[in-house]
Amino acid sequence: MKTILNQYYYLALVTALITIFTYLSIAAEINYLYALLVGIVTHMTYNFHPLMQFSLPELNKKIRIRYIFYVIGLLIIGFITIYNASFYIWVALFIVCVLSLAYFKKVFGFSLRDHYLTKPLTIGLVFGICTALIPYLQSGYLIMESLGLTLGRIFFVTVLAIIFDIGDVNQDQLEKTTTIPERFGVLKTKILCSSLLGAAGIIESIGAWNFLIDLEGIVALCFSYFVTFMAILFSNTKRKSWFFTLFVDGIMALPLVIFYLIKL
């Protein structure tokens, strides 16, 4: 279990599952290859991010035969999945690549993960584009409809990223790393997270009101947001690491689980 969590297999799985949920929530055909692609990219990004810094010493250390197989598999699945993608999808993928590189690679002495605001927001943007915007566009939704619904996903994932920072406050203080909880305190951070989560719920509800999200989808999202709210309330600096890596990350898979339970 430790290997599954620490090497981000679990995160890759829940990311793929919430991507599948996106298709189901709008009664669209599921693109399983794309969901698999999202999972693989998530796993590779978190495990092999030194490669994205283009450091020759790091490249020498990190390139191994199994990484080459990862890249080959990723390229094959990616080509099959998006070779005939629309212009907007290609733009979305380009933005994801730029944000991901800027998150790890310092440009002019600064990377997006260096700032307490851009760090969680970048995570929210990348996950939102990959797990929501692109599936919506693939399913035929208009660009403005897709962007509107994706904003809810961005807020949701940003909240999960900030919750993680709550658990790391003590370590961040020792390392003199500034995060939202470290700078503003846990209480104000929880208020911020609750506000963002409420905004996500409102956005998704508007989508359901306009028949962009099915009834089962909005119910699954509302229940998941309630669980997320409880995670906000119970998160603190003394929680065990599994609370964040297993439970908080696992919330991303919850909409799909609830969706299937409703369908039973």
Side-chain angles (χ1 to χ4, degrees):
M1 177 60 73
K2 187 175 181 180
T3 299
I4 292 174
L5 294 175
N6 292 343
Q7 295 190 14
Y8 303 103
Y9 290 105
Y10 179 67
L11 179 60
L13 173 63
V14 298
T15 305
L17 293 180
I18 196 171
T19 305
I20 292 173
F21 166 78
T22 301
Y23 293 106
L24 290 174
S25 68
I26 59 175
E29 182 180 354
I30 302 173
N31 190 334
Y32 287 105
L33 270 180
Y34 175 74
L36 177 62
L37 178 67
V38 171
I40 294 175
V41 170
T42 300
H43 179 261
M44 290 185 63
T45 301
Y46 276 86
N47 277 284
F48 312 143
H49 60 80
L51 296 177
M52 304 178 72
Q53 298 173 4
F54 301 104
S55 171
L56 289 179
E58 291 292 339
L59 285 174
N60 292 332
K61 292 177 184 177
K62 291 293 180 180
I63 290 182
R64 298 291 186 271
I65 189 67
R66 67 188 182 99
Y67 302 156
I68 295 175
F69 280 120
Y70 266 116
V71 173
I72 293 174
L74 178 65
L75 291 175
I76 292 173
I77 296 174
F79 177 78
I80 295 174
T81 305
I82 61 175
Y83 75 97
N84 62 344
S86 68
F87 170 76
Y88 290 120
I89 291 178
W90 281 110
V91 171
L93 290 171
F94 175 76
I95 293 173
V96 166
C97 291
V98 171
L99 288 174
S100 299
L101 289 172
Y103 184 84
F104 295 109
K105 177 66 176 177
K106 288 189 177 183
V107 180
F108 303 113
F110 174 80
S111 67
L112 292 175
R113 65 174 175 175
D114 289 337
H115 195 275
Y116 65 92
L117 290 178
T118 57
K119 178 185 177 183
L121 181 58
T122 302
I123 295 173
L125 281 168
V126 171
F127 275 80
I129 292 172
C130 291
T131 70
L133 178 60
I134 292 177
Y136 289 138
L137 291 173
Q138 288 178 335
S139 303
Y141 274 35
L142 300 176
I143 183 63
M144 294 308 298
E145 294 172 339
S146 302
L147 288 172
L149 292 175
T150 300
L151 187 60
R153 183 67 52 81
I154 292 172
F155 287 163
F156 172 52
V157 178
T158 299
V159 167
L160 297 181
I162 297 175
I163 293 176
F164 259 84
D165 286 336
I166 292 177
D168 293 334
V169 166
N170 293 334
Q171 185 65 29
D172 289 335
Q173 289 176 340
L174 291 175
E175 298 177 355
K176 296 183 179 180
T177 301
T178 303
T179 61
I180 291 177
E182 193 277 332
R183 182 178 179 88
F184 297 107
V186 173
L187 179 59
K188 290 182 179 179
T189 299
K190 289 186 176 183
I191 294 174
L192 172 63
C193 287
S194 300
S195 301
L196 290 175
L197 189 64
I202 292 173
I203 292 169
E204 304 284 8
S205 298
I206 292 174
W209 180 262
N210 290 304
F211 303 103
L212 298 177
I213 300 177
D214 280 4
L215 177 60
E216 295 87 349
I218 191 62
V219 171
L221 284 170
C222 288
F223 185 85
S224 301
Y225 288 171
F226 173 76
V227 174
T228 306
F229 179 67
M230 298 305 295
I232 295 171
L233 293 181
F234 287 102
S235 62
N236 57 59
T237 58
K238 297 180 181 179
R239 289 289 176 188
K240 299 293 184 180
S241 60
W242 66 262
F243 176 84
F244 301 98
T245 57
L246 186 63
F247 176 63
V248 176
D249 271 348
I251 292 176
M252 282 198 288
L254 195 56
L256 183 62
V257 173
I258 300 302
F259 183 92
Y260 279 128
L261 289 177
I262 294 173
K263 286 291 189 178
L264 291 178

